[in-house]
Amino acid sequence: AHVFQSHEEDDRKVRRREKNRVAAQRSRKKQTQKADKLHEEYESLEQENTSLKREIGKLTDEMKHLSEVLKNHEKICPLLHCTMNFVTVPRPDALASCLPR
């Protein structure tokens, strides 16, 4: 009977070891998948960041250009030089002369 019990215990140990091995394998696979997912997310955010930086550059250039255009326009704008401008509403034809065609 003693030999039989020992064989049964060995069987249980082998099964437990196998179960443990499978669980460890599953855990490692899960960690790898998590790391892969994080890496993909990182890559995606890096691309988005680069794209947004490029857009900021374009918008900054556009803002500089428009500020320059406005500054040049203010020098010659009849509406800004008219002293009555602050009292009366500008006439539509005066306004039209300021707007780009």
Side-chain angles (χ1 to χ4, degrees):
H2 182 68
V3 175
F4 179 72
Q5 191 181 1
S6 171
H7 181 66
E8 215 174 80
E9 281 177 19
D10 283 350
D11 246 16
R12 235 178 300 167
K13 277 183 189 172
V14 168
R15 276 200 305 271
R16 193 168 43 230
R17 215 177 289 134
E18 178 61 19
K19 235 174 134 176
N20 195 5
R21 190 183 65 79
V22 169
Q25 217 172 12
R26 203 180 305 127
S27 175
R28 281 193 296 271
K29 190 178 177 185
K30 215 173 178 182
Q31 276 184 315
T32 305
Q33 285 174 336
K34 196 175 176 182
D36 287 348
K37 193 178 175 190
L38 280 172
H39 186 70
E40 277 176 37
E41 210 175 312
Y42 168 80
E43 292 283 318
S44 171
L45 288 170
E46 278 290 314
Q47 281 182 346
E48 191 182 350
N49 196 19
T50 302
S51 167
L52 288 170
K53 281 179 179 172
R54 213 175 291 130
E55 193 178 343
I56 287 171
K58 281 184 194 169
L59 291 170
T60 303
D61 288 348
E62 189 181 352
M63 188 179 74
K64 283 178 190 166
H65 170 71
L66 290 173
S67 293
E68 195 61 35
V69 167
L70 181 63
K71 205 165 72 182
N72 290 334
H73 176 77
E74 282 173 346
K75 292 175 193 168
I76 58 157
C77 181
L79 293 179
L80 294 171
H81 297 295
C82 176
T83 51
M84 294 298 287
N85 193 23
F86 302 104
V87 186
T88 62
V89 176
R91 297 186 321 282
D93 57 326
L95 188 60
S97 69
C98 274
L99 299 174
R101 285 159 187 74

